[in-house]
Amino acid sequence: QLQLQESGPGLVKASETLSLTCTVSGGSIRSSSYYWAWIRQPPGKGLEWIGSVFHSGSAYYSPSLKSRVTISVDMSNNQFSLKLSSVTAADTAAYYCARHGWATWASDIWGQGTMVTVSS
Amino acid sequence: QSALTQPASVSGSPGQSITISCTGTNSDVGGYNYVSWYQHHPGKAPKLILYDVSDRPSGVSNRFSGSKSGITASLTISGLQAEDEASYYCSSYTSSSTLVFGGGTKLTVL
């Protein structure tokens, strides 16, 4: 059964770059049927899509974050990663990695999430 | 892109039915049948309960159903149970090849 696990620092300083990795186990990131996504939830707020990447490296990003976000794939390690630059307190959130269908964009498998706090 | 519009909260008694709306635009909800719904309990990962407007993933109770009319999608939960108390989010594919979520609805089972 495919599982996702986020990893990375829980504390990031303001103006620096947030970096997280999602490790895919029990299946291959090379699947042509799925995208691999990052989604976040600030404390007390709703879910926000950050972006999605295909195994080829082709990526789509939220317009509001596009200038600061890079999502990439590491097929040799069956992982995909998120980099968010110039972070502020507004980027403090629980970050989830997830898999969604290339056609439906429905996320059927999620990681447990990791809390990232931006400190000043 | 703007978040899809959901009511902030709904409530119902055990055994009753409730409906949560999700309103977008012709560029997202109204333009595609790629609306999904998620159940989110605090401290846990969101769970997909409906996709493609009304399809249920394997293992999801048939008490959850979905529909769409124009730019508004709806989630109905019938036979409310205490375990249904959670936040519910809709999402939709958009014409810009992006994904947009609703603001979320907190369901309270009285």
Side-chain angles (χ1 to χ4, degrees), chain A residues 50-89:
Chain A
I50 299 171
S52 301
V53 67
F54 199 54
H55 66 82
S56 64
S58 174
Y60 298 93
Y61 300 122
S62 166
S64 64
L65 297 171
K66 188 173 184 177
S67 63
R68 298 194 291 130
V69 174
T70 301
I71 298 176
S72 58
V73 171
D74 178 357
M75 286 197 285
S76 62
N77 288 307
N78 224 30
Q79 297 175 329
F80 62 105
S81 298
L82 166 70
K83 291 190 185 298
L84 180 64
S85 64
S86 304
V87 297
T88 69

Side-chain angles (χ1 to χ4, degrees), chain A residues 41 49 60 96 103-104 106-107 111, chain B residues 36 38 40 45 52 89 98-99:
Chain A
Q41 183 179 33
W49 176 73
Y60 298 93
Y96 296 94
T104 69
S107 296
Chain B
S36 301
Y38 301 87
H40 192 196
D52 292 357
Y89 294 88
T98 61
L99 187 68

